[in-house]
Amino acid sequence: DIQMTQSPSSLSASVGDRVTIACRASQRITGLNWYQQKAGKAPKLLIDAEFRLQRGVPSRFSGRGSEADFTLTISSLQPEDFATYYCQQSHTSPWTFGQGTKVEIK
Amino acid sequence: EVQLVESGGGLVQPGRSLRLSCVASGFSFDDYAMHWVRQVPGKGLEWVSGISWNSDTIDYADSVKGRFTISRDNAKSSLYLEMSSLRVEDTALYYCAKDSHYGDYQSTGFDYWGQGTLVTVSS
């Protein structure tokens, strides 16, 4: 199985900060997705195929990377962005997730 | 509007069985693979099982293989998860999720999720 490792596990940031979350796969992959999950809610797909923003997702979110190393960047953190973020590989089944990164208010 | 509504969760004793259901609406259910993903409260996401649009491809996480059975009824736009030999470690919120990939069993992410149904396995 492909292991997905996110870093950091949590971070504290202020509104307006630039935030970057890293995700590393245990092998080279094609197909990396990012989800946002707010407390008590289902996950929401933000980005698929490494960098493709889903409809309605603000442009302050961006994804990049290739092979085994990927990042999610929020260019200017907004109050509604405080949540937990997960990466997931869609290279091959089982479709594994990272352990999550909780973005908290500083 | 796409909607996925899960049901069937509850409290069950270890070793017993439970059947989860998910009713879909707002999209062509028989064009997409579907999945079950679970989440222990306060913990991360774990993919459990997936099924292709025509049920030809069925897939399980090792943690549930041999105990869980996924199925679908395209005429009813419904997805199911039959869970048997339940263990305490199966306790989680179970989400039904739609794959964003059209057609064959590949994945490009899960673009719609239900609100989940809670399964608690305890004596």
Side-chain angles (χ1 to χ4, degrees):
Chain A
D1 297 359
I2 298 174
Q3 307 302 316
M4 307 300 293
T5 304
Q6 289 181 234
S7 59
S9 296
S10 65
L11 63 90
S12 295
S14 300
V15 172
D17 284 353
R18 182 182 182 88
V19 167
T20 297
I21 298 168
C23 177
R24 174 166 286 180
S26 58
Q27 66 183 66
R28 184 184 184 280
I29 61 170
T30 53
L32 191 284
N33 312 308
W34 290 98
Y35 298 84
Q36 176 193 65
Q37 187 179 32
K38 297 183 179 179
K41 300 293 186 181
K44 173 186 174 182
L45 180 63
L46 295 179
I47 289 171
D48 70 7
E50 290 85 37
F51 61 85
R52 189 167 63 191
L53 225 60
Q54 295 299 290
R55 187 163 40 195
V57 174
S59 59
R60 62 181 179 273
F61 290 91
S62 63
R64 61 183 300 169
S66 63
E67 299 199 353
D69 290 297
F70 305 90
T71 57
L72 172 71
T73 297
I74 309 172
S75 60
S76 177
L77 199 64
Q78 298 302 301
E80 60 268 30
D81 301 336
F82 292 96
T84 300
Y85 293 86
Y86 295 92
C87 64
Q88 179 211 24
Q89 61 84 15
S90 50
H91 180 77
T92 188
S93 177
W95 317 109
T96 42
F97 292 88
Q99 82 278 16
T101 295
K102 187 172 184 179
V103 177
E104 298 176 299
I105 302 172
K106 182 183 273 185
Chain B
E1 179 195 5
V2 172
Q3 283 198 311
L4 298 170
V5 180
E6 303 97 334
S7 61
L11 174 63
V12 61
Q13 292 179 326
R16 303 298 290 264
S17 300
L18 205 59
R19 189 194 201 206
L20 306 184
S21 299
C22 170
V23 178
S25 61
F27 67 101
S28 297
F29 182 75
D30 54 5
D31 281 337
Y32 295 91
M34 297 293 294
H35 304 270
W36 289 98
V37 177
R38 68 185 180 184
Q39 185 173 37
V40 175
K43 302 296 184 182
L45 300 167
E46 180 188 16
W47 173 83
V48 172
S49 183
I51 185 168
S52 62
W53 67 275
N54 60 359
S55 305
D56 273 2
T57 301
I58 285 177
D59 219 2
Y60 299 99
D62 286 345
S63 57
V64 306
K65 202 171 291 184
R67 300 187 300 120
F68 290 11
T69 302
I70 191 172
S71 62
R72 64 190 294 163
D73 184 337
N74 287 344
K76 296 181 178 179
S77 296
S78 294
L79 177 72
Y80 307 101
L81 187 68
E82 188 76 44
M83 304 185 295
S84 62
S85 303
L86 281 162
R87 303 168 181 169
V88 171
E89 55 265 34
D90 295 320
T91 294
L93 186 64
Y94 284 74
Y95 292 105
C96 163
K98 170 189 169 291
D99 205 292
S100 60
H101 183 77
Y102 177 90
D104 59 347
Y105 190 75
Q106 298 180 53
S107 183
T108 48
F110 305 162
D111 57 353
Y112 290 95
W113 299 62
Q115 285 307 300
T117 187
L118 182 62
V119 173
T120 303
V121 184
S122 174
S123 53

